[in-house]
Amino acid sequence: SSATFCSVILERNTPIPCRATRQYASVDDRQTRFKVTVLQGEEGQLTKECLVVGEKELELTPRKCTEPSLDVSMSYDPSGMVTVTVRDLVSGTPEDITHRFFETH
């Protein structure tokens, strides 16, 4: 299997509270699932070397894989709560899919 690498949304040592968003595309036009794995790691680090904080798998409607169609936002508050929100820009669903994780360190 091929190696996978981290895609950083919130940089280390970003002042808290903080929030950032990054766009992603599917890898195939027929893709029906998108798995968000929240990791603690560095840009370019192998995912297998990172700490898994949480993950969630989402259903997708068909979309062109050449265009970013998912917004993944991450916020971190002073209590140590990490909130990850995924917005599907294709389906137009008004509700965000939100998952909250507590920082382990």
Side-chain angles (χ1 to χ4, degrees), residues 18-19 36 38 52-56 73-77 79-86 96-104:
C18 54
R19 179 178 173 85
V36 178
V38 181
V52 176
V53 179
E55 62 184 17
K56 186 171 183 109
S73 299
M74 179 176 267
S75 63
Y76 190 15
D77 74 21
S79 72
M81 179 80 80
V82 176
T83 303
V84 178
T85 304
V86 180
D96 292 329
I97 301 160
T98 302
H99 198 79
R100 299 185 193 316
F101 308 97
F102 279 102
E103 183 64 81
T104 55

Side-chain angles (χ1 to χ4, degrees), residues 34-101:
F34 180 75
K35 184 154 109 182
V36 178
T37 303
V38 181
L39 303 168
Q40 185 174 324
E42 304 290 332
E43 186 80 41
Q45 185 176 358
L46 289 169
T47 55
K48 66 182 181 181
E49 298 171 351
C50 299
L51 174 68
V52 176
V53 179
E55 62 184 17
K56 186 171 183 109
E57 194 165 287
L58 312 171
E59 299 270 342
L60 293 181
T61 56
R63 73 232 16 250
K64 291 197 183 307
C65 65
T66 54
E67 299 169 12
S69 62
L70 295 153
D71 276 351
V72 180
S73 299
M74 179 176 267
S75 63
Y76 190 15
D77 74 21
S79 72
M81 179 80 80
V82 176
T83 303
V84 178
T85 304
V86 180
R87 173 163 284 179
D88 186 338
L89 304 174
V90 171
S91 71
T93 306
E95 296 102 39
D96 292 329
I97 301 160
T98 302
H99 198 79
R100 299 185 193 316
F101 308 97

